[in-house]
Amino acid sequence: MAALRSLLSVGKNAVPVLLRREFHGTAPATLQVTVRDSLNRALDEELERDEKVFLLGEEVAQFDGAYKVSRGLWKKYGDRRVIDTPISEMGFAGIAVGAAMAGLRPICEFMTFNFAMQAIDQIINSAAKTYYMSGGMVPVPIVFRGPNGAAAGVAAQHSQCFAAWYGHCPGLKVVSPWSSEDARGLLKAAVRDENPVIVLENELLYGVAFELSEEAQSKDFVVPLGKAKIERQGNRITLVSHSRMVGICLEAATVLAKEGIECEVINLRSIRPLDIAAIEQSVMKTNHLVTVEGGWPMFGVGAEISAQIMEGPVFNHLDSPVYRVTGADLPVPYAKNLEECSLPQMKDITFVVKKSLCNKL
């Protein structure tokens, strides 16, 4: 109003002043969304977008899912689109694979990926190999999803990480989300892909809230499979990880920054295809590399990254060996204190980072 009175009182002389005024737009809206809700919204949007998409698994319908990821979907889409199955992973995984071969787009939920071992013949020999063995005539657009890796106090038979297991197999794509953006974008991309995709979630992340940008809230938002993301910029050493270990790497990076060690943290997002180019580009800058994963050390994700770096063009950029931080090479114990010792902790990462920086080639 003051500006308007000024214009009325002094006439044309006030116009240039008004033209110079700055108008500030509202900042893009971000939301705090849990990984569970992010997955739930992604499932809802994909079921709504394509009538060929359906969800099946143990307790996914009337019980809203063992972890409430499918909350409300059965009430909205009914028995034909959200299907409770018997406790028979090989049976309902086989039904899902057959449905994909027939032109539907199933999302097969395992209550935990440890139970997917019961269905591994369907996943590997049927889903992963059929497109190749049919000469490209029979695509298998299917998603296998559920919690993967160690949770808390569930002992050895429920604490395995399957990233390396499934990442080993040609014909599969394998993703491992950390944040709500990862979970939403990777799941939507997986549903739309023409290949079988393994989505390795983590039980301990379901209730964790992350910022979700306005862009990521769009129904058209997807995270491309095979593309890593730099979560923190740094110039002294590269930390590469996936799933829950990304958060622990970021915590370690914050502690190390206080000591003058700036870590670049890469969130793999995708295990297969592996974005080795993103890792190479970072190593060319930092000259040091540490991989971090919750799985076992033998033939793991970190071992594959180490091999590709050693065989590739950036090997000569390394100032020290590639180091791995992994789970202990034993079945995960049930006792809380032993379980903690068997899985990577922040102190393990900081120790190995300093070891890498002190140990020159």
Side-chain angles (χ1 to χ4, degrees):
M1 289 299 294
L4 180 59
R5 284 195 296 271
S6 174
L7 176 61
L8 293 173
S9 61
V10 298
K12 294 181 180 179
N13 293 331
V15 173
V17 176
L18 284 176
L19 293 177
R20 288 196 300 270
R21 290 176 61 87
E22 295 182 2
F23 294 90
H24 299 282
T26 304
T30 60
L31 295 176
Q32 288 284 327
V33 181
T34 64
V35 171
R36 175 185 291 107
D37 289 341
S38 194
L39 289 166
N40 177 263
R41 293 179 190 181
L43 289 170
D44 186 12
E45 290 169 6
E46 293 306 299
L47 284 162
E48 183 178 66
R49 183 187 64 86
D50 187 347
E51 63 180 13
K52 293 181 180 179
V53 175
F54 70 98
L55 173 68
L56 79 164
E58 297 159 356
E59 300 182 349
V60 300
Q62 297 186 44
F63 191 65
D64 283 340
Y67 301 98
K68 305 307 178 208
V69 171
S70 55
R71 183 179 58 247
L73 299 181
W74 175 68
K75 291 180 180 177
K76 181 174 181 179
Y77 295 102
D79 291 327
R80 294 186 70 251
R81 305 286 302 284
V82 182
I83 304 168
D84 277 331
T85 66
I87 303 174
S88 175
E89 283 76 16
M90 175 168 275
F92 67 75
I95 290 170
V97 171
M101 291 178 180
L104 299 178
R105 307 186 80 89
I107 303 169
C108 180
E109 176 180 310
F110 296 116
M111 194 178 292
T112 160
F113 259 95
N114 299 278
F115 300 155
M117 291 176 70
Q118 304 294 325
I120 202 164
D121 182 60
Q122 300 286 5
I123 297 169
I124 304 302
N125 281 328
S126 296
K129 298 178 182 178
T130 296
Y131 191 46
Y132 175 83
M133 294 177 70
S134 68
M137 295 179 65
V138 184
V140 188
I142 185 172
V143 174
F144 298 101
R145 53 155 296 271
N148 168 71
V154 292
Q157 293 170 326
H158 296 77
S159 300
Q160 298 160 115
C161 176
F162 286 84
W165 293 49
Y166 290 117
H168 181 64
C169 302
L172 292 177
K173 294 185 178 181
V174 184
V175 298
S176 184
W178 168 60
S179 66
S180 297
E181 179 181 301
D182 292 350
R184 174 177 171 79
L186 289 171
L187 180 55
K188 290 172 74 71
V191 173
R192 300 179 189 192
D193 202 275
E194 293 301 318
N195 300 281
V197 183
I198 306 288
V199 181
L200 301 172
E201 302 156 12
N202 186 275
E203 179 184 337
L204 297 179
L205 289 175
Y206 283 145
V208 179
F210 294 85
E211 281 194 357
L212 200 63
S213 67
E214 189 173 40
E215 177 190 6
Q217 295 169 41
S218 167
K219 288 186 177 182
D220 296 322
F221 175 77
V222 295
V223 171
L225 306 185
K227 292 295 181 182
K229 179 184 179 184
I230 297 176
E231 299 288 351
R232 179 186 177 117
Q233 297 279 351
N235 56 20
R236 286 293 304 281
I237 190 166
T238 301
L239 300 179
V240 179
S241 189
H242 66 95
S243 189
R244 194 170 73 89
M245 291 298 134
V246 175
I248 299 176
C249 284
L250 289 169
E251 292 173 10
T254 300
V255 171
L256 289 164
K258 296 176 182 177
E259 302 179 34
I261 302 172
E262 291 295 338
C263 303
E264 183 145 290
V265 179
I266 296 180
N267 173 8
L268 283 176
R269 286 180 161 178
S270 180
I271 305 300
R272 186 183 184 108
L274 181 68
D275 190 359
I276 196 67
I279 302 171
E280 289 176 337
Q281 188 173 4
S282 179
V283 169
M284 289 175 68
K285 176 172 63 173
T286 67
N287 309 115
H288 297 84
L289 175 61
V290 173
T291 68
V292 183
E293 61 186 306
W296 295 314
M298 296 291 287
F299 313 103
V301 174
E304 175 62 25
I305 293 171
S306 299
Q308 291 200 33
I309 291 296
M310 186 274 292
E311 295 167 350
V314 303
F315 174 71
N316 290 327
H317 288 268
L318 287 172
D319 287 342
S320 67
V322 177
Y323 286 96
R324 293 177 294 159
V325 179
T326 71
D329 194 20
L330 79 171
V332 176
Y334 171 73
K336 184 177 181 180
N337 59 332
L338 296 178
E339 179 187 62
E340 182 175 318
C341 291
S342 74
L343 298 170
Q345 307 296 325
M346 185 181 70
K347 64 181 185 333
D348 302 317
I349 299 171
T350 57
F351 174 80
V352 173
V353 165
K354 293 176 181 179
K355 180 180 178 181
S356 174
L357 293 174
C358 292
N359 190 2
K360 298 291 185 180
L361 283 172

